[in-house]
């Protein structure tokens, strides 16, 4: 509970007034992270933010292992020549590289790149490890830090260094690698919806938006509260591109040499930004209970010394009971703060429920509870507190998802005229909301995609599930379009 | 279970013949790690090695949290000027730094150092976060990768990049920070002994061996099988050194400004090297059950098709039963390998127990089990298998610790003449064993320490617990010595 020496304003800019400022305020007041102003574009992930990341990690790691993947760790540094071996890859990543040129007091003969992603170095080792079809599939995941030199950064959403996981797998056929790509996309979607309470659209990126070096990039796209799109996770069908660049061959059952078929897939600390912008409000952070590091904060209320003893003892007893039921509970015993300041503190940190207990409550054998996502308080008999809060966690998780889902649906519109599209997506200066997803017919040509991009919007993805009744005429050229695609302004 | 395309020799050099070669062979055949030959001094931690690291992490992380620490994450990059602020720190770390000079296609104005440890960057943020005595103690831990440009590297023991945890705490008094330093040293010692089955000596480093910037460095020292010492963990009493360098002040209860008192403490993937060199043998890796990713490997044995079905079904049923009891079990169904090759495979990977099951065993309602650290097999009724293996895990854990403890005691000798010391510690070309710890009297002067160092030995630590009867005459100068110190050759 460290406080900032130079206290910044504790207020939060209203969302409607300036969404970007609101986001920054919520992250700061939620004690999630702060900009590492001395290292351009980097951030410090503070304990409360890191605790959310640990919860994300634990859930994803479990799913990766259940689907047969094993964790490993590859070097942070990649020889510069490796990055250049795959033509599209080098083009995509060159502008963003941080390069070590001096080490141990000497100029390096070959500069080392700080990994912007690990397909190349892992490809190198796959070529050493894989010899026969019996070595396949090879299913690896890595939890690591990544560096991409970004010009415009924003806490969690886009930082020079970030934390992520990157899965890297090799298979004997394209059928298998494609199945893996889609399986991991489904893992991400299930996690986003069931744990982050964030509805997502599964889709495939266009050629111009795909990962540098992939055959096809699949993604989950989410809608933030201001209607902007956020790419929350990607799963790449790499085909044989990196297999060829790094000579990753295997002998098939017929004793013939073939290149392996690879995949890679990742999500990052960006998910924390997505979480913030899915549920929080003008009072600060709101967290879905399944990812909240603290489920309940108990605030004892008293004026006199003799009250204090009884109230604090009861608060501790209730906390113990709730902890036994699997809830993470904090009792806020700080002497220097009034109850109101404590409410404010836990509210800004997104704790799902607050429990208030005073001398009167002890007499009544009941406590007041306050849901983070509701305005009114509720009186609950102490004997029912554990059952009530346990049920509340499920309700709140479901309610947050339902609200986000409704927002996504309400702000997804069908657009069938290019002029309407331009009017809707015209450049906006502030991110004040008003953003929507426009489902438009697109013929698939890069030319028409470029036309659409003349606004601030891009094609976010071609959804895997067509919920809008099939094909029609391309919004731009009028030629045949197989289905509607998701367009929107994006982070 | 990926195999190396270019199969290296699968044999392991006998320990007695060449301990260093033995170590390398055990790590390779145990599938723990391999040198990343394309990135000087770096390694790839392979899935089996990483699974051990995950077990180490889980246990330590639990202990850190139980003692009130919270995890956070600080930038990988540190401004070069930060490293220079603490005089001893810069002297100690400058020769080992990897430096990013180019990023995003441009020369950086101030080069960024890849963190060799994080006291400086964390000191910077502590100065922002700490204002009053109410903000103290601040108890932070970070799991991260670290880079130190080493000339001579060895897998796990000393690599250019390694994984570790670094605790960083700030306190209101030296009494408190010292208590923290010793508490974390005790956490490391308990983990080393109870989980790694590796006895350690808790002690304090001499001035010349302490961490660059610390007031005092405490350590746990272990003895490897060849008698060499390995520093397995350190806990530093930083005093106010970094507080002064980074202006980390707090207002005390009397409203006066004081510098905080800091600690830092860390263990790294080096522990995996220590684990290998504590228990393994000429047949390969031996792992204490508490840190073994797989507790039992079941090998089905059959010749004919109808046997196969029954044997494999029984193997799966036994595995399910063992898993229900909390054991991690692999059933080795690989078609292409004979049972002997499978025994070899699991033996080299240090799996604590192997279970063999064939048609005859099914008839007998019993299986053969083979402890990794014993030569003979044992027939166990199937109904008793779970209870037997569960008990065996405890026995084996205790036996490995007892053996390591005996080795440490047998190879710790009292030496009271400088000539004997020189004869004992004279330079050896290969690490063939024969190393011992010599407990010698030392007056505490740097001059006498330098004399001792003229051999290949160093003072490993001044033990916190004096088990050798107090003071005497310094081995070198004959002046008063308060107690015996541990000397030995070290990794």
């Amino acid at each position: 509970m460290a406080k900032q020496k130079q206290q910044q304003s504790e207020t939060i800019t209203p969302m409607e007034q300036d969404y970007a400022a609101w986001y920054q305020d919520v992250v700061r007041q939620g004690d999630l992270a702060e900009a590492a102003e001395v290292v351009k574009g980097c951030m410090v992930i503070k304990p409360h933010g890191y605790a959310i990341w640990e919860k994300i990690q634990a859930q994803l790691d479990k799913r990766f292992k259940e689907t047969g993947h094993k964790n490993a760790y590859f070097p942070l540094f990649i020889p510069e020549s490796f990055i250049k071996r795959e033509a599209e890859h080098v083009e995509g990543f060159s502008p963003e590289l941080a390069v070590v040129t001096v080490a141990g007091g000497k100029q390096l003969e070959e500069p080392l790149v700080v990994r912007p992603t690990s397909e190349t170095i892992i490809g190198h080792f796959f070529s050493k490890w894989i010899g026969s079809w019996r070595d396949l599939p090879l299913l690896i995941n890595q939890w690591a830090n990544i560096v991409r030199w970004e010009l415009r950064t924003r806490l969690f959403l886009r930082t020079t260094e970030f934390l992520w996981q990157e899965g890297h797998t090799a298979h004997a056929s394209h059928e298998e690698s494609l199945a893996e790509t889609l399986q991991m996309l489904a893992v991400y979607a299930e996690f986003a919806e069931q744990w982050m309470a964030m509805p997502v659209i599964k889709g495939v990126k266009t050629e111009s938006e795909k990962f540098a070096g992939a055959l096809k990039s699949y993604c989950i796209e989410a809608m933030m509260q201001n209607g902007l799109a956020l790419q929350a996770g990607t799963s790449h069908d790499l085909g044989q591109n990196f297999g060829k660049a790094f000579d990753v061959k295997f002998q098939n059952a017929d004793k013939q040499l073939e290149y392996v078929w690879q995949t890679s897939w990742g999500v990052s600390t960006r998910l924390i930004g997505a979480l913030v912008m899915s549920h929080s409000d003008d009072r600060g952070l709101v967290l879905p209970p399944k990812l909240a590091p603290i489920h309940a904060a108990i605030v004892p209320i008293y004026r006199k010394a003799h009250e204090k003893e009884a109230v604090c003892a009861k608060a501790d007893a209730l906390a113990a009971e709730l902890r036994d039921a699997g809830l993470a509970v904090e009792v806020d015993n700080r002497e220097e703060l009034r109850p109101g300041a404590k409410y404010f503190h836990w509210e800004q940190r997104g704790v799902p429920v607050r429990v208030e207990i005073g001398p009167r409550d002890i007499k009544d054998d009941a406590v007041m509870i306050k849901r983070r996502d509701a305005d009114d308080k509720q009186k609950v008999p102490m004997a029912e507190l554990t059952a009530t809060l346990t049920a509340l966690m499920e309700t709140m998780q479901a309610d947050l998802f339902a609200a986000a889902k409704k927002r996504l649906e309400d702000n997804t519109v069908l657009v069938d005229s290019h002029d309407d599209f331009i009017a809707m997506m015209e450049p906006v200066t502030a991110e004040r909301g008003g953003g929507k997803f426009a489902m438009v017919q697109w013929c698939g040509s890069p030319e028409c995609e470029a036309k659409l991009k003349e606004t601030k919007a891009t094609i976010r993805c071609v959804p895997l599930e067509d919920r809008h009744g099939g094909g029609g005429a391309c919004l731009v050229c009028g030629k045949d379009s197989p289905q509607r695609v998701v367009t929107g302004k994006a982070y």
Side-chain angles (χ1 to χ4, degrees), chain A residues 8-27:
Chain A
Q8 291 174 281
S9 160
E10 287 198 0
T11 57
I12 291 170
T13 308
M15 206 185 280
E16 285 295 319
Q17 185 182 316
D18 183 342
Y19 195 79
W22 168 85
Y23 174 75
Q24 213 168 15
D25 292 347
V26 171
V27 169

Side-chain angles (χ1 to χ4, degrees), chain A residues 280-301:
Chain A
S280 304
D281 60 26
D282 285 349
R283 298 200 306 275
L285 195 62
V286 174
L287 291 173
K290 283 186 182 176
L291 292 178
I294 303 165
H295 297 113
I298 302 183
V299 179
I301 301 164

Side-chain angles (χ1 to χ4, degrees), chain A residues 364-468:
Chain A
D364 295 351
D365 228 12
V367 292
M368 291 301 289
I369 66 168
K370 163 82 171 61
R371 258 176 83 152
R372 175 62 186 83
D373 61 336
D375 287 324
D376 51 333
K377 298 184 186 183
Q378 189 189 338
K379 190 117 182 169
V380 177
M382 285 193 198
E384 292 168 23
L385 185 64
T386 301
T388 304
L389 293 200
T390 305
L392 186 59
M393 294 302 133
E394 302 236 3
T395 315
M396 189 168 159
Q397 183 82 28
D399 289 353
L400 290 176
F401 180 70
K405 181 104 180 163
K406 183 170 186 308
R407 191 177 62 238
L408 173 61
E409 281 167 6
D410 289 351
N411 292 293
T412 299
V413 294
L414 307 191
V415 176
D416 286 315
S417 116
H418 198 187
D419 288 343
D420 288 354
F421 179 81
I422 291 167
M424 182 176 160
M425 299 297 182
E426 69 187 356
V428 283
T429 48
E431 296 159 6
R432 290 203 189 173
K436 285 184 194 296
F437 283 0
M439 303 299 303
V440 306
Q441 297 288 356
W442 171 56
C443 64
S445 79
E447 293 74 24
C448 291
E449 185 183 14
K451 274 281 177 199
L452 293 174
K453 266 196 198 173
E454 285 172 6
T455 63
K456 284 232 161 174
T458 50
I459 298 177
R460 304 309 307 151
C461 67
V462 181
L464 295 190
E465 182 196 355
D466 178 10
R467 297 176 58 203
H468 299 284

Side-chain angles (χ1 to χ4, degrees), chain A residues 105-327:
Chain A
K106 287 185 187 154
Q107 199 76 21
L108 291 176
E109 282 181 33
E110 180 179 4
L112 293 171
V113 162
V114 183
R115 66 179 158 224
T117 181
S118 301
E119 279 75 9
T120 57
I121 188 91
I122 292 181
H124 171 77
F125 286 99
F126 275 15
S127 79
K128 296 179 71 180
W129 297 349
I130 295 170
S132 129
W133 61 274
R134 294 184 200 276
D135 301 327
L136 300 176
L138 182 55
L139 308 173
I140 298 288
N141 178 63
Q142 166 170 276
W143 291 97
N145 54 345
I146 288 293
V147 172
R148 295 179 186 172
W149 213 258
E150 300 279 0
L151 292 179
R152 294 187 53 192
T153 58
R154 197 177 299 201
L155 291 170
F156 292 118
L157 298 179
R158 178 168 284 112
T159 48
T160 300
E161 182 192 13
F162 56 89
L163 304 182
W164 82 348
Q165 62 66 218
E166 47 183 327
H168 294 271
T169 70
H171 306 261
S173 71
H174 188 224
E175 192 184 350
E176 281 179 43
S177 63
L178 181 58
E180 164 81 6
T181 307
L182 294 174
Q183 170 185 253
M184 300 324 288
L185 189 73
V187 164
Y188 289 155
E190 185 267 343
F191 173 75
E193 301 205 329
Q194 299 304 310
W195 286 73
M196 297 177 66
M198 180 176 79
V200 293
I201 299 169
K202 288 188 279 185
V204 59
K205 289 277 173 196
T206 65
E207 277 295 299
S208 74
E209 299 279 333
K210 73 177 188 188
F211 175 76
L215 218 54
K216 277 201 171 160
S217 288
Y218 294 82
C219 62
I220 51 171
E221 291 284 326
M223 179 187 280
M224 303 295 97
Q225 291 154 325
N226 60 349
L228 262 62
L230 189 105
Q231 176 178 300
T234 47
S235 185
H236 310 295
D237 174 2
L238 301 176
Q240 294 180 311
N241 292 348
F242 287 90
K244 286 177 183 165
F246 287 88
D247 199 33
V248 193
K249 282 186 224 162
F250 71 102
Q251 196 175 50
N252 66 21
D254 300 329
K255 310 239 177 218
Q256 287 173 312
L257 277 181
E258 288 186 55
Y259 289 110
V260 298
W261 298 85
Q262 286 176 261
T263 82
S264 69
W265 29 274
V267 296
S268 74
T269 37
R270 170 173 247 215
L271 288 183
I272 299 175
L275 199 60
V276 171
M277 296 199 300
S278 287
H279 310 298
S280 304
D281 60 26
D282 285 349
R283 298 200 306 275
L285 195 62
V286 174
L287 291 173
K290 283 186 182 176
L291 292 178
I294 303 165
H295 297 113
I298 302 183
V299 179
I301 301 164
Y302 50 83
R303 285 167 191 276
K304 297 163 193 158
H306 75 275
E307 287 175 353
K308 179 183 164 185
E309 200 177 330
V311 167
C312 288
K314 196 71 200 175
D316 287 338
L318 289 175
E321 207 181 296
L322 292 169
R323 286 183 191 125
D324 282 346
L327 296 171

